[in-house]
Amino acid sequence: MNNVFVYCELEGTKVADVSLELLTKGRKLANQLNCQLEAILAGEHLVGVEAQVLPYGVDRVHVFDAPGLFPYTSLPHADILIHLFKEEQPQICLMGATVIGRDLGPRVSSALTSGLTADCTALEIGSHEDKKAGKSYENLLYQIRPAFGGNIVATIVNPEHRPQMATVREGVMKKEVLDPNYQGEVIRHEVAKYVPENDFVVKVIDRHVEQAKHNLKGAPIVVAGGYGMGSKEGFDMLFELAKELHAEVGASRAAVDAGFCDHDRQIGQTGVTVRPKLYIACGISGQIQHIAGMQDAGIIISVNNDPNAPINTIADYVINGSVEEVIPKMIKYYKKNSK
Ligand SMILES: Cc1cc2nc3c(=O)[nH]c(=O)nc-3n(C[C@H](O)[C@H](O)[C@H](O)COP(=O)(O)OP(=O)(O)OC[C@H]3O[C@@H](n4cnc5c(N)ncnc54)[C@H](O)[C@@H]3O)c2cc1C
């Protein structure tokens, strides 16, 4: 009772990275709250799938295995969470800010009148004082996310209602195995007790999943371009540099909006979050919405013709100059030195 729950997304029988990231965070929250971490797996042919989540420090795995639970459809998965949460009374529920999480989270929170904070960038435990009501609360989930167009970072609390629900985008939290041999209880539920037959009304007849065209999220080196790259041709230079460095190319939103680069390469609050070992920011000013997606990079190099560009304040190295001059030199000397 009153534990931390993570709804784990499945692609077939593979648990999604975002769910493993949330289990890692969930474990830390559960430790702080001195409670257990529980995972929910709902799909088909799930024998042994719990082995993917237990190493993240899961104390209890709830398995719902039945035809019709994969691919995801709204009603059966919402039924499972709503009924399970009525029984288990979790204090926290986390899920990915994915297509599935964005559909499932609001359904569950509205059925339980619990509230939900979408797209959190950090989750912490803390206290809260409601001065107006003269009440104070301990051990609440701080659901932290940018608000008002990214101009402020808001900390949202849900003092009275449970579970405290939050969604988090893929890549925002770090995935870390706690113990490969972690022992947890596996509970196989009878799906018919949770999902009325009528709620399997939607049948998925055909499904097309497109693979990502690049590995921006997992790349050890990212060469990212901003509006300062000036054009699509400017980005060709970045692709050339990336090829030499075995890196991936990323972009700021301004560069994507200007048509210099594809949208799926956008880094930041409304794009991908990356944690490469090396991030080379070329012609990027470093607004808070961009920094939100790359600030955990190991080393940051900024190439900018404005010495006062905000990104320079978080960069480890600053190359003050125009991208037209600096990037060809980087390509030339890297080629020369790596022979
Ligand atoms: C709700 C919301 C969500 C957002 N989400 C994101 C997001 O996910 N990702 C994101 O990136 N942004 C996001 N933004 C937009 C963000 O606020 C900035 O507008 C954007 O990041 C700016 O991109 P930029 O740095 O490429 O462009 P600019 O701010 O125009 O900066 C260009 C930089 O290039 C430099 N420069 C110009 N010419 C050269 C040259 N020849 N050589 C070298 N340097 C040069 C300039 O000095 C400047 O520093 C969001 C905004 C909002 C309101």
Side-chain angles (χ1 to χ4, degrees):
M1 292 294 256
N2 304 139
N3 289 328
V4 175
F5 277 63
V6 175
Y7 169 81
C8 295
E9 271 180 45
L10 287 156
E11 179 52 49
T13 54
K14 186 177 182 298
V15 179
D17 275 350
V18 66
S19 307
L20 302 177
E21 291 160 12
L22 289 175
L23 287 174
T24 308
K25 185 68 193 182
R27 181 67 264 169
K28 289 181 183 142
L29 297 175
N31 287 351
Q32 276 180 278
L33 294 166
N34 203 13
C35 70
Q36 293 196 321
L37 174 64
E38 309 202 20
I40 304 163
L41 294 169
E44 209 179 326
H45 307 307
L46 298 186
V47 178
V49 174
E50 63 273 6
Q52 292 175 47
V53 299
L54 286 169
Y56 291 85
V58 178
D59 301 300
R60 295 174 87 209
V61 188
H62 299 267
V63 180
F64 295 85
D65 189 347
L69 287 181
F70 182 81
Y72 169 89
T73 51
S74 310
L75 290 179
H77 284 246
D79 285 335
I80 286 172
L81 263 64
I82 293 164
H83 291 115
L84 183 69
F85 287 176
K86 282 183 180 163
E87 289 166 10
E88 297 288 337
Q89 304 286 319
Q91 53 177 316
I92 291 173
C93 166
L94 308 178
M95 57 179 76
T98 59
V99 173
I100 290 178
R102 283 168 210 269
D103 177 70
L104 183 61
R107 286 172 189 272
V108 175
S109 75
S110 70
L112 300 174
T113 57
S114 69
L116 166 79
T117 304
D119 286 353
C120 291
T121 50
L123 297 168
E124 288 167 18
I125 301 295
S127 58
H128 170 66
E129 198 184 341
D130 183 344
K131 289 198 174 121
K132 217 167 148 193
K135 280 184 173 179
S136 53
Y137 303 84
E138 294 299 325
N139 290 331
L140 289 183
L141 180 68
Y142 285 177
Q143 300 152 51
I144 301 164
R145 57 154 296 157
F148 296 112
N151 290 319
I152 63 157
V153 176
T155 298
I156 296 162
V157 288
N158 179 1
E160 301 284 356
H161 296 267
R162 295 291 175 271
Q164 302 163 89
M165 291 183 68
T167 68
V168 180
R169 281 166 175 257
E170 181 169 353
V172 171
M173 305 289 169
K174 215 171 166 185
K175 177 176 92 173
E176 255 167 8
V177 165
L178 180 75
D179 172 0
N181 301 315
Y182 197 86
Q183 297 293 317
E185 184 189 358
V186 180
I187 305 154
R188 296 188 183 280
H189 292 275
E190 201 183 315
V191 175
K193 281 191 184 161
Y194 291 80
V195 188
E197 192 52 41
N198 285 348
D199 283 358
F200 283 110
V201 61
V202 175
K203 309 268 184 236
V204 179
I205 295 163
D206 193 15
R207 192 164 168 268
H208 177 72
V209 180
E210 205 159 308
Q211 293 300 318
K213 295 188 202 96
H214 52 73
N215 180 27
L216 181 57
K217 217 173 44 111
I221 305 176
V222 172
V223 178
Y227 193 68
M229 291 308 300
S231 62
K232 215 169 183 329
E233 291 66 42
F235 262 75
D236 289 343
M237 269 196 310
L238 297 187
F239 279 100
E240 199 184 336
L241 177 61
K243 197 170 155 228
E244 290 305 320
L245 299 175
H246 303 288
E248 283 288 356
V249 172
S252 72
R253 178 154 145 185
V256 168
D257 287 351
F260 301 168
C261 193
D262 288 341
H263 176 258
D264 60 356
R265 293 188 183 269
Q266 183 181 315
I267 292 168
Q269 185 192 321
T270 42
V272 184
T273 300
V274 295
R275 295 168 199 277
K277 290 192 177 120
L278 174 62
Y279 190 88
I280 308 176
C282 309
I284 294 180
S285 59
Q287 301 305 313
I288 184 173
Q289 296 90 353
H290 184 79
I291 285 176
M294 46 66 72
Q295 62 197 348
D296 290 335
I299 294 175
I300 299 168
I301 300 177
S302 161
V303 182
N304 203 302
N305 61 7
D306 174 6
N308 299 317
I311 193 140
N312 294 351
T313 61
I314 61 156
D316 299 277
Y317 300 97
V318 174
I319 302 174
N320 188 213
S322 81
V323 289
E324 294 81 1
E325 201 185 325
V326 175
I327 312 267
K329 280 187 185 163
M330 287 173 96
I331 297 170
K332 183 176 154 193
Y333 289 108
Y334 190 80
K335 273 186 181 168
K336 201 168 141 190
N337 293 338
S338 55
K339 267 186 191 155

mmCIF file with all atom_site columns, all heavy atoms in Angstrom, residues 87-111:
data_model
loop_
_atom_site.group_PDB
_atom_site.id
_atom_site.type_symbol
_atom_site.label_atom_id
_atom_site.label_alt_id
_atom_site.label_comp_id
_atom_site.label_asym_id
_atom_site.label_entity_id
_atom_site.label_seq_id
_atom_site.pdbx_PDB_ins_code
_atom_site.Cartn_x
_atom_site.Cartn_y
_atom_site.Cartn_z
_atom_site.occupancy
_atom_site.B_iso_or_equiv
_atom_site.pdbx_formal_charge
_atom_site.auth_seq_id
_atom_site.auth_comp_id
_atom_site.auth_asym_id
_atom_site.auth_atom_id
_atom_site.pdbx_PDB_model_num
ATOM 1   N N   . GLU A 1 87  ? -7.256  -0.627 -5.467  1.00 0.00 ? 87  GLU A N   1
ATOM 2   C CA  . GLU A 1 87  ? -6.864  -1.665 -4.500  1.00 0.00 ? 87  GLU A CA  1
ATOM 3   C C   . GLU A 1 87  ? -5.593  -1.277 -3.745  1.00 0.00 ? 87  GLU A C   1
ATOM 4   O O   . GLU A 1 87  ? -5.486  -1.447 -2.546  1.00 0.00 ? 87  GLU A O   1
ATOM 5   C CB  . GLU A 1 87  ? -6.567  -2.985 -5.234  1.00 0.00 ? 87  GLU A CB  1
ATOM 6   C CG  . GLU A 1 87  ? -7.783  -3.693 -5.791  1.00 0.00 ? 87  GLU A CG  1
ATOM 7   C CD  . GLU A 1 87  ? -7.397  -4.800 -6.786  1.00 0.00 ? 87  GLU A CD  1
ATOM 8   O OE1 . GLU A 1 87  ? -6.201  -5.144 -6.896  1.00 0.00 ? 87  GLU A OE1 1
ATOM 9   O OE2 . GLU A 1 87  ? -8.294  -5.289 -7.458  1.00 0.00 ? 87  GLU A OE2 1
ATOM 10  N N   . GLU A 1 88  ? -4.614  -0.765 -4.499  1.00 0.00 ? 88  GLU A N   1
ATOM 11  C CA  . GLU A 1 88  ? -3.266  -0.608 -3.942  1.00 0.00 ? 88  GLU A CA  1
ATOM 12  C C   . GLU A 1 88  ? -2.995  0.774  -3.337  1.00 0.00 ? 88  GLU A C   1
ATOM 13  O O   . GLU A 1 88  ? -2.007  0.955  -2.624  1.00 0.00 ? 88  GLU A O   1
ATOM 14  C CB  . GLU A 1 88  ? -2.206  -0.884 -5.020  1.00 0.00 ? 88  GLU A CB  1
ATOM 15  C CG  . GLU A 1 88  ? -2.219  -2.304 -5.562  1.00 0.00 ? 88  GLU A CG  1
ATOM 16  C CD  . GLU A 1 88  ? -1.681  -3.308 -4.558  1.00 0.00 ? 88  GLU A CD  1
ATOM 17  O OE1 . GLU A 1 88  ? -0.924  -2.905 -3.666  1.00 0.00 ? 88  GLU A OE1 1
ATOM 18  O OE2 . GLU A 1 88  ? -2.028  -4.497 -4.662  1.00 0.00 ? 88  GLU A OE2 1
ATOM 19  N N   . GLN A 1 89  ? -3.817  1.761  -3.701  1.00 0.00 ? 89  GLN A N   1
ATOM 20  C CA  . GLN A 1 89  ? -3.674  3.125  -3.155  1.00 0.00 ? 89  GLN A CA  1
ATOM 21  C C   . GLN A 1 89  ? -2.236  3.652  -3.233  1.00 0.00 ? 89  GLN A C   1
ATOM 22  O O   . GLN A 1 89  ? -1.640  4.019  -2.203  1.00 0.00 ? 89  GLN A O   1
ATOM 23  C CB  . GLN A 1 89  ? -4.120  3.156  -1.686  1.00 0.00 ? 89  GLN A CB  1
ATOM 24  C CG  . GLN A 1 89  ? -5.515  2.657  -1.451  1.00 0.00 ? 89  GLN A CG  1
ATOM 25  C CD  . GLN A 1 89  ? -6.565  3.650  -1.898  1.00 0.00 ? 89  GLN A CD  1
ATOM 26  O OE1 . GLN A 1 89  ? -6.427  4.853  -1.690  1.00 0.00 ? 89  GLN A OE1 1
ATOM 27  N NE2 . GLN A 1 89  ? -7.604  3.181  -2.545  1.00 0.00 ? 89  GLN A NE2 1
ATOM 28  N N   . PRO A 1 90  ? -1.656  3.697  -4.450  1.00 0.00 ? 90  PRO A N   1
ATOM 29  C CA  . PRO A 1 90  ? -0.287  4.206  -4.527  1.00 0.00 ? 90  PRO A CA  1
ATOM 30  C C   . PRO A 1 90  ? -0.218  5.680  -4.135  1.00 0.00 ? 90  PRO A C   1
ATOM 31  O O   . PRO A 1 90  ? -1.205  6.408  -4.281  1.00 0.00 ? 90  PRO A O   1
ATOM 32  C CB  . PRO A 1 90  ? 0.078   4.052  -6.004  1.00 0.00 ? 90  PRO A CB  1
ATOM 33  C CG  . PRO A 1 90  ? -1.167  3.755  -6.728  1.00 0.00 ? 90  PRO A CG  1
ATOM 34  C CD  . PRO A 1 90  ? -2.228  3.373  -5.755  1.00 0.00 ? 90  PRO A CD  1
ATOM 35  N N   . GLN A 1 91  ? 0.957   6.107  -3.660  1.00 0.00 ? 91  GLN A N   1
ATOM 36  C CA  . GLN A 1 91  ? 1.083   7.554  -3.400  1.00 0.00 ? 91  GLN A CA  1
ATOM 37  C C   . GLN A 1 91  ? 1.617   8.277  -4.629  1.00 0.00 ? 91  GLN A C   1
ATOM 38  O O   . GLN A 1 91  ? 1.388   9.466  -4.805  1.00 0.00 ? 91  GLN A O   1
ATOM 39  C CB  . GLN A 1 91  ? 1.910   7.851  -2.169  1.00 0.00 ? 91  GLN A CB  1
ATOM 40  C CG  . GLN A 1 91  ? 3.270   7.222  -2.085  1.00 0.00 ? 91  GLN A CG  1
ATOM 41  C CD  . GLN A 1 91  ? 4.000   7.681  -0.826  1.00 0.00 ? 91  GLN A CD  1
ATOM 42  O OE1 . GLN A 1 91  ? 3.982   8.867  -0.503  1.00 0.00 ? 91  GLN A OE1 1
ATOM 43  N NE2 . GLN A 1 91  ? 4.625   6.774  -0.119  1.00 0.00 ? 91  GLN A NE2 1
ATOM 44  N N   . ILE A 1 92  ? 2.353   7.544  -5.480  1.00 0.00 ? 92  ILE A N   1
ATOM 45  C CA  . ILE A 1 92  ? 2.920   8.163  -6.685  1.00 0.00 ? 92  ILE A CA  1
ATOM 46  C C   . ILE A 1 92  ? 2.741   7.207  -7.865  1.00 0.00 ? 92  ILE A C   1
ATOM 47  O O   . ILE A 1 92  ? 2.904   5.995  -7.712  1.00 0.00 ? 92  ILE A O   1
ATOM 48  C CB  . ILE A 1 92  ? 4.429   8.451  -6.482  1.00 0.00 ? 92  ILE A CB  1
ATOM 49  C CG1 . ILE A 1 92  ? 4.629   9.565  -5.458  1.00 0.00 ? 92  ILE A CG1 1
ATOM 50  C CG2 . ILE A 1 92  ? 5.112   8.812  -7.800  1.00 0.00 ? 92  ILE A CG2 1
ATOM 51  C CD1 . ILE A 1 92  ? 6.070   9.821  -5.055  1.00 0.00 ? 92  ILE A CD1 1
ATOM 52  N N   . CYS A 1 93  ? 2.423   7.763  -9.036  1.00 0.00 ? 93  CYS A N   1
ATOM 53  C CA  . CYS A 1 93  ? 2.414   6.955  -10.255 1.00 0.00 ? 93  CYS A CA  1
ATOM 54  C C   . CYS A 1 93  ? 3.155   7.727  -11.348 1.00 0.00 ? 93  CYS A C   1
ATOM 55  O O   . CYS A 1 93  ? 2.841   8.891  -11.620 1.00 0.00 ? 93  CYS A O   1
ATOM 56  C CB  . CYS A 1 93  ? 0.989   6.669  -10.711 1.00 0.00 ? 93  CYS A CB  1
ATOM 57  S SG  . CYS A 1 93  ? 0.925   6.028  -12.403 1.00 0.00 ? 93  CYS A SG  1
ATOM 58  N N   . LEU A 1 94  ? 4.149   7.075  -11.959 1.00 0.00 ? 94  LEU A N   1
ATOM 59  C CA  . LEU A 1 94  ? 4.925   7.716  -13.031 1.00 0.00 ? 94  LEU A CA  1
ATOM 60  C C   . LEU A 1 94  ? 4.699   6.966  -14.336 1.00 0.00 ? 94  LEU A C   1
ATOM 61  O O   . LEU A 1 94  ? 4.582   5.739  -14.345 1.00 0.00 ? 94  LEU A O   1
ATOM 62  C CB  . LEU A 1 94  ? 6.427   7.670  -12.698 1.00 0.00 ? 94  LEU A CB  1
ATOM 63  C CG  . LEU A 1 94  ? 6.860   8.196  -11.337 1.00 0.00 ? 94  LEU A CG  1
ATOM 64  C CD1 . LEU A 1 94  ? 8.366   8.027  -11.152 1.00 0.00 ? 94  LEU A CD1 1
ATOM 65  C CD2 . LEU A 1 94  ? 6.472   9.669  -11.172 1.00 0.00 ? 94  LEU A CD2 1
ATOM 66  N N   . MET A 1 95  ? 4.664   7.705  -15.427 1.00 0.00 ? 95  MET A N   1
ATOM 67  C CA  . MET A 1 95  ? 4.624   7.068  -16.752 1.00 0.00 ? 95  MET A CA  1
ATOM 68  C C   . MET A 1 95  ? 5.308   7.963  -17.770 1.00 0.00 ? 95  MET A C   1
ATOM 69  O O   . MET A 1 95  ? 5.534   9.157  -17.517 1.00 0.00 ? 95  MET A O   1
ATOM 70  C CB  . MET A 1 95  ? 3.202   6.692  -17.160 1.00 0.00 ? 95  MET A CB  1
ATOM 71  C CG  . MET A 1 95  ? 2.192   7.796  -17.197 1.00 0.00 ? 95  MET A CG  1
ATOM 72  S SD  . MET A 1 95  ? 0.559   7.179  -17.719 1.00 0.00 ? 95  MET A SD  1
ATOM 73  C CE  . MET A 1 95  ? -0.004  6.344  -16.242 1.00 0.00 ? 95  MET A CE  1
ATOM 74  N N   . GLY A 1 96  ? 5.666   7.391  -18.913 1.00 0.00 ? 96  GLY A N   1
ATOM 75  C CA  . GLY A 1 96  ? 6.371   8.136  -19.949 1.00 0.00 ? 96  GLY A CA  1
ATOM 76  C C   . GLY A 1 96  ? 5.479   9.203  -20.571 1.00 0.00 ? 96  GLY A C   1
ATOM 77  O O   . GLY A 1 96  ? 4.273   8.981  -20.748 1.00 0.00 ? 96  GLY A O   1
ATOM 78  N N   . ALA A 1 97  ? 6.072   10.337 -20.919 1.00 0.00 ? 97  ALA A N   1
ATOM 79  C CA  . ALA A 1 97  ? 5.323   11.369 -21.662 1.00 0.00 ? 97  ALA A CA  1
ATOM 80  C C   . ALA A 1 97  ? 5.405   10.996 -23.143 1.00 0.00 ? 97  ALA A C   1
ATOM 81  O O   . ALA A 1 97  ? 6.011   11.684 -23.947 1.00 0.00 ? 97  ALA A O   1
ATOM 82  C CB  . ALA A 1 97  ? 5.904   12.745 -21.396 1.00 0.00 ? 97  ALA A CB  1
ATOM 83  N N   . THR A 1 98  ? 4.805   9.849  -23.440 1.00 0.00 ? 98  THR A N   1
ATOM 84  C CA  . THR A 1 98  ? 4.822   9.302  -24.803 1.00 0.00 ? 98  THR A CA  1
ATOM 85  C C   . THR A 1 98  ? 3.404   9.355  -25.338 1.00 0.00 ? 98  THR A C   1
ATOM 86  O O   . THR A 1 98  ? 2.485   9.799  -24.634 1.00 0.00 ? 98  THR A O   1
ATOM 87  C CB  . THR A 1 98  ? 5.253   7.827  -24.741 1.00 0.00 ? 98  THR A CB  1
ATOM 88  O OG1 . THR A 1 98  ? 4.301   7.150  -23.895 1.00 0.00 ? 98  THR A OG1 1
ATOM 89  C CG2 . THR A 1 98  ? 6.647   7.653  -24.149 1.00 0.00 ? 98  THR A CG2 1
ATOM 90  N N   . VAL A 1 99  ? 3.208   8.852  -26.537 1.00 0.00 ? 99  VAL A N   1
ATOM 91  C CA  . VAL A 1 99  ? 1.847   8.823  -27.094 1.00 0.00 ? 99  VAL A CA  1
ATOM 92  C C   . VAL A 1 99  ? 0.938   8.038  -26.147 1.00 0.00 ? 99  VAL A C   1
ATOM 93  O O   . VAL A 1 99  ? -0.189  8.446  -25.852 1.00 0.00 ? 99  VAL A O   1
ATOM 94  C CB  . VAL A 1 99  ? 1.878   8.174  -28.499 1.00 0.00 ? 99  VAL A CB  1
ATOM 95  C CG1 . VAL A 1 99  ? 0.484   7.965  -29.027 1.00 0.00 ? 99  VAL A CG1 1
ATOM 96  C CG2 . VAL A 1 99  ? 2.693   9.035  -29.446 1.00 0.00 ? 99  VAL A CG2 1
ATOM 97  N N   . ILE A 1 100 ? 1.465   6.922  -25.620 1.00 0.00 ? 100 ILE A N   1
ATOM 98  C CA  . ILE A 1 100 ? 0.654   6.086  -24.721 1.00 0.00 ? 100 ILE A CA  1
ATOM 99  C C   . ILE A 1 100 ? 0.429   6.799  -23.385 1.00 0.00 ? 100 ILE A C   1
ATOM 100 O O   . ILE A 1 100 ? -0.704  6.912  -22.913 1.00 0.00 ? 100 ILE A O   1
ATOM 101 C CB  . ILE A 1 100 ? 1.336   4.707  -24.516 1.00 0.00 ? 100 ILE A CB  1
ATOM 102 C CG1 . ILE A 1 100 ? 1.256   3.905  -25.816 1.00 0.00 ? 100 ILE A CG1 1
ATOM 103 C CG2 . ILE A 1 100 ? 0.712   3.949  -23.347 1.00 0.00 ? 100 ILE A CG2 1
ATOM 104 C CD1 . ILE A 1 100 ? 1.938   2.548  -25.783 1.00 0.00 ? 100 ILE A CD1 1
ATOM 105 N N   . GLY A 1 101 ? 1.494   7.333  -22.789 1.00 0.00 ? 101 GLY A N   1
ATOM 106 C CA  . GLY A 1 101 ? 1.367   8.007  -21.495 1.00 0.00 ? 101 GLY A CA  1
ATOM 107 C C   . GLY A 1 101 ? 0.434   9.210  -21.564 1.00 0.00 ? 101 GLY A C   1
ATOM 108 O O   . GLY A 1 101 ? -0.331  9.475  -20.632 1.00 0.00 ? 101 GLY A O   1
ATOM 109 N N   . ARG A 1 102 ? 0.480   9.923  -22.675 1.00 0.00 ? 102 ARG A N   1
ATOM 110 C CA  . ARG A 1 102 ? -0.381  11.106 -22.822 1.00 0.00 ? 102 ARG A CA  1
ATOM 111 C C   . ARG A 1 102 ? -1.850  10.722 -22.967 1.00 0.00 ? 102 ARG A C   1
ATOM 112 O O   . ARG A 1 102 ? -2.745  11.529 -22.725 1.00 0.00 ? 102 ARG A O   1
ATOM 113 C CB  . ARG A 1 102 ? 0.037   11.901 -24.056 1.00 0.00 ? 102 ARG A CB  1
ATOM 114 C CG  . ARG A 1 102 ? 1.284   12.711 -23.853 1.00 0.00 ? 102 ARG A CG  1
ATOM 115 C CD  . ARG A 1 102 ? 1.790   13.226 -25.185 1.00 0.00 ? 102 ARG A CD  1
ATOM 116 N NE  . ARG A 1 102 ? 3.234   13.356 -25.140 1.00 0.00 ? 102 ARG A NE  1
ATOM 117 C CZ  . ARG A 1 102 ? 3.880   14.449 -24.779 1.00 0.00 ? 102 ARG A CZ  1
ATOM 118 N NH1 . ARG A 1 102 ? 3.225   15.510 -24.457 1.00 0.00 ? 102 ARG A NH1 1
ATOM 119 N NH2 . ARG A 1 102 ? 5.187   14.475 -24.747 1.00 0.00 ? 102 ARG A NH2 1
ATOM 120 N N   . ASP A 1 103 ? -2.102  9.501  -23.431 1.00 0.00 ? 103 ASP A N   1
ATOM 121 C CA  . ASP A 1 103 ? -3.474  9.025  -23.553 1.00 0.00 ? 103 ASP A CA  1
ATOM 122 C C   . ASP A 1 103 ? -3.941  8.411  -22.230 1.00 0.00 ? 103 ASP A C   1
ATOM 123 O O   . ASP A 1 103 ? -5.036  8.698  -21.750 1.00 0.00 ? 103 ASP A O   1
ATOM 124 C CB  . ASP A 1 103 ? -3.536  7.958  -24.666 1.00 0.00 ? 103 ASP A CB  1
ATOM 125 C CG  . ASP A 1 103 ? -4.916  7.361  -24.823 1.00 0.00 ? 103 ASP A CG  1
ATOM 126 O OD1 . ASP A 1 103 ? -5.812  8.080  -25.288 1.00 0.00 ? 103 ASP A OD1 1
ATOM 127 O OD2 . ASP A 1 103 ? -5.102  6.185  -24.449 1.00 0.00 ? 103 ASP A OD2 1
ATOM 128 N N   . LEU A 1 104 ? -3.072  7.599  -21.649 1.00 0.00 ? 104 LEU A N   1
ATOM 129 C CA  . LEU A 1 104 ? -3.450  6.833  -20.458 1.00 0.00 ? 104 LEU A CA  1
ATOM 130 C C   . LEU A 1 104 ? -3.495  7.696  -19.189 1.00 0.00 ? 104 LEU A C   1
ATOM 131 O O   . LEU A 1 104 ? -4.442  7.584  -18.399 1.00 0.00 ? 104 LEU A O   1
ATOM 132 C CB  . LEU A 1 104 ? -2.433  5.694  -20.292 1.00 0.00 ? 104 LEU A CB  1
ATOM 133 C CG  . LEU A 1 104 ? -2.656  4.705  -19.169 1.00 0.00 ? 104 LEU A CG  1
ATOM 134 C CD1 . LEU A 1 104 ? -3.990  3.977  -19.349 1.00 0.00 ? 104 LEU A CD1 1
ATOM 135 C CD2 . LEU A 1 104 ? -1.517  3.688  -19.122 1.00 0.00 ? 104 LEU A CD2 1
ATOM 136 N N   . GLY A 1 105 ? -2.478  8.539  -19.002 1.00 0.00 ? 105 GLY A N   1
ATOM 137 C CA  . GLY A 1 105 ? -2.365  9.320  -17.769 1.00 0.00 ? 105 GLY A CA  1
ATOM 138 C C   . GLY A 1 105 ? -3.620  10.123 -17.458 1.00 0.00 ? 105 GLY A C   1
ATOM 139 O O   . GLY A 1 105 ? -4.197  9.988  -16.362 1.00 0.00 ? 105 GLY A O   1
ATOM 140 N N   . PRO A 1 106 ? -4.089  10.956 -18.386 1.00 0.00 ? 106 PRO A N   1
ATOM 141 C CA  . PRO A 1 106 ? -5.276  11.766 -18.094 1.00 0.00 ? 106 PRO A CA  1
ATOM 142 C C   . PRO A 1 106 ? -6.527  10.923 -17.833 1.00 0.00 ? 106 PRO A C   1
ATOM 143 O O   . PRO A 1 106 ? -7.367  11.293 -17.012 1.00 0.00 ? 106 PRO A O   1
ATOM 144 C CB  . PRO A 1 106 ? -5.455  12.600 -19.371 1.00 0.00 ? 106 PRO A CB  1
ATOM 145 C CG  . PRO A 1 106 ? -4.110  12.612 -20.006 1.00 0.00 ? 106 PRO A CG  1
ATOM 146 C CD  . PRO A 1 106 ? -3.465  11.307 -19.658 1.00 0.00 ? 106 PRO A CD  1
ATOM 147 N N   . ARG A 1 107 ? -6.659  9.780  -18.522 1.00 0.00 ? 107 ARG A N   1
ATOM 148 C CA  . ARG A 1 107 ? -7.834  8.923  -18.280 1.00 0.00 ? 107 ARG A CA  1
ATOM 149 C C   . ARG A 1 107 ? -7.830  8.417  -16.842 1.00 0.00 ? 107 ARG A C   1
ATOM 150 O O   . ARG A 1 107 ? -8.850  8.428  -16.150 1.00 0.00 ? 107 ARG A O   1
ATOM 151 C CB  . ARG A 1 107 ? -7.805  7.701  -19.215 1.00 0.00 ? 107 ARG A CB  1
ATOM 152 C CG  . ARG A 1 107 ? -8.158  8.016  -20.631 1.00 0.00 ? 107 ARG A CG  1
ATOM 153 C CD  . ARG A 1 107 ? -7.920  6.817  -21.529 1.00 0.00 ? 107 ARG A CD  1
ATOM 154 N NE  . ARG A 1 107 ? -8.063  7.213  -22.915 1.00 0.00 ? 107 ARG A NE  1
ATOM 155 C CZ  . ARG A 1 107 ? -9.209  7.218  -23.569 1.00 0.00 ? 107 ARG A CZ  1
ATOM 156 N NH1 . ARG A 1 107 ? -10.300 6.806  -22.976 1.00 0.00 ? 107 ARG A NH1 1
ATOM 157 N NH2 . ARG A 1 107 ? -9.264  7.622  -24.822 1.00 0.00 ? 107 ARG A NH2 1
ATOM 158 N N   . VAL A 1 108 ? -6.662  7.966  -16.399 1.00 0.00 ? 108 VAL A N   1
ATOM 159 C CA  . VAL A 1 108 ? -6.573  7.392  -15.051 1.00 0.00 ? 108 VAL A CA  1
ATOM 160 C C   . VAL A 1 108 ? -6.732  8.491  -14.007 1.00 0.00 ? 108 VAL A C   1
ATOM 161 O O   . VAL A 1 108 ? -7.488  8.344  -13.045 1.00 0.00 ? 108 VAL A O   1
ATOM 162 C CB  . VAL A 1 108 ? -5.220  6.645  -14.872 1.00 0.00 ? 108 VAL A CB  1
ATOM 163 C CG1 . VAL A 1 108 ? -5.053  6.150  -13.452 1.00 0.00 ? 108 VAL A CG1 1
ATOM 164 C CG2 . VAL A 1 108 ? -5.123  5.490  -15.864 1.00 0.00 ? 108 VAL A CG2 1
ATOM 165 N N   . SER A 1 109 ? -6.058  9.612  -14.213 1.00 0.00 ? 109 SER A N   1
ATOM 166 C CA  . SER A 1 109 ? -6.122  10.664 -13.191 1.00 0.00 ? 109 SER A CA  1
ATOM 167 C C   . SER A 1 109 ? -7.518  11.266 -13.107 1.00 0.00 ? 109 SER A C   1
ATOM 168 O O   . SER A 1 109 ? -7.982  11.596 -12.024 1.00 0.00 ? 109 SER A O   1
ATOM 169 C CB  . SER A 1 109 ? -5.070  11.744 -13.434 1.00 0.00 ? 109 SER A CB  1
ATOM 170 O OG  . SER A 1 109 ? -5.435  12.560 -14.484 1.00 0.00 ? 109 SER A OG  1
ATOM 171 N N   . SER A 1 110 ? -8.227  11.363 -14.241 1.00 0.00 ? 110 SER A N   1
ATOM 172 C CA  . SER A 1 110 ? -9.574  11.936 -14.133 1.00 0.00 ? 110 SER A CA  1
ATOM 173 C C   . SER A 1 110 ? -10.516 10.933 -13.472 1.00 0.00 ? 110 SER A C   1
ATOM 174 O O   . SER A 1 110 ? -11.366 11.319 -12.669 1.00 0.00 ? 110 SER A O   1
ATOM 175 C CB  . SER A 1 110 ? -10.099 12.436 -15.477 1.00 0.00 ? 110 SER A CB  1
ATOM 176 O OG  . SER A 1 110 ? -10.362 11.355 -16.306 1.00 0.00 ? 110 SER A OG  1
ATOM 177 N N   . ALA A 1 111 ? -10.335 9.636  -13.748 1.00 0.00 ? 111 ALA A N   1
ATOM 178 C CA  . ALA A 1 111 ? -11.194 8.637  -13.092 1.00 0.00 ? 111 ALA A CA  1
ATOM 179 C C   . ALA A 1 111 ? -10.962 8.614  -11.583 1.00 0.00 ? 111 ALA A C   1
ATOM 180 O O   . ALA A 1 111 ? -11.883 8.376  -10.808 1.00 0.00 ? 111 ALA A O   1
ATOM 181 C CB  . ALA A 1 111 ? -10.933 7.254  -13.685 1.00 0.00 ? 111 ALA A CB  1
#
